[in-house]
Amino acid sequence: IIEACTRFVGLEGLSAFAEGVILQITSLLGIKSRGLVCVARTHVRDGHTEDTVIAAAGPYAGLMHRPMVEITDDRARERLATCLQRRRTLVDDQSLTLFCPGNEQNDFAAFVECSPAMREVDRRLIQVFCTNVGLYGDNVRLAEKLSIHAFRDALTGLPNQDAFVEQ
């Protein structure tokens, strides 16, 4: 599990990270996915949050970088919202909604349409995996911020000298 999480650290950006997580989980459990969507919750200010789709496949593929409220599948949207609100993984006969805790409650949730139902040992394995995914997700977010600050002027937002040298 830890090795699988470690492989994602080198990926470019949060979207690639999220897609890799879903592929690992469905592979790990031998689940055939009919569609998936991964949402990142970010605390922006005054207790307000933004829930944004950061990875999607199947019928959800057109939702990348859009607010979670734009997910037209009511069941998927409600499962994701419940998962993020309760801060725990949800499992039923038709889907798996994974909760991955992050720092400062900047959490992740992934909805996967799948079958068959999961065994108890698999549920526990997923919880361990999700804990690691949340931590690594935070690292990916921090690396993205660091990259932005390394190549952009903080005041103007314009490319700095390092950005020109990199090109």
Side-chain angles (χ1 to χ4, degrees), residues 5 8 14 17-18 21-22 25 37-41 54 80 83-90 96-111 125-138 141:
C5 286
F8 299 133
L14 202 51
F17 171 77
V21 167
I22 299 302
I25 289 170
V37 60
C38 187
V39 172
R41 170 165 282 178
I54 59 170
L80 284 162
C83 177
L84 287 167
Q85 179 185 3
R86 293 183 184 170
R87 303 190 82 227
R88 67 180 183 94
T89 295
L90 307 173
L96 172 64
T97 310
L98 302 165
F99 176 74
C100 303
N103 282 337
E104 300 173 12
Q105 294 187 337
N106 290 320
D107 303 322
F108 302 89
F111 174 83
L125 185 62
I126 287 296
Q127 281 306 126
V128 172
F129 189 84
C130 287
T131 299
N132 285 299
V133 165
L135 295 173
Y136 283 106
D138 287 335
R141 280 183 173 160

Side-chain angles (χ1 to χ4, degrees), residues 6-123:
T6 304
R7 288 183 33 211
F8 299 133
V9 173
L11 294 176
E12 293 290 322
L14 202 51
S15 295
F17 171 77
E19 287 177 33
V21 167
I22 299 302
L23 288 173
Q24 278 292 328
I25 289 170
T26 55
S27 168
L28 184 67
L29 298 176
I31 297 172
K32 294 202 181 218
S33 172
R34 296 187 299 267
L36 65 92
V37 60
C38 187
V39 172
R41 170 165 282 178
T42 307
H43 287 263
V44 285
R45 65 190 173 293
D46 301 329
H48 291 86
T49 59
E50 289 181 358
D51 298 330
T52 307
V53 175
I54 59 170
Y60 309 108
L63 296 169
M64 287 288 293
H65 308 294
R66 309 206 73 184
M68 183 176 75
V69 296
E70 292 185 22
I71 297 173
T72 55
D73 181 336
D74 293 337
R75 188 168 168 280
R77 187 180 60 251
E78 289 168 9
R79 296 294 283 178
L80 284 162
T82 302
C83 177
L84 287 167
Q85 179 185 3
R86 293 183 184 170
R87 303 190 82 227
R88 67 180 183 94
T89 295
L90 307 173
V91 180
D92 63 29
D93 290 341
Q94 299 172 344
S95 68
L96 172 64
T97 310
L98 302 165
F99 176 74
C100 303
N103 282 337
E104 300 173 12
Q105 294 187 337
N106 290 320
D107 303 322
F108 302 89
F111 174 83
V112 183
E113 287 185 79
C114 60
S115 58
M118 288 176 44
R119 299 172 303 165
E120 182 61 29
V121 68
D122 291 335
R123 288 182 197 182

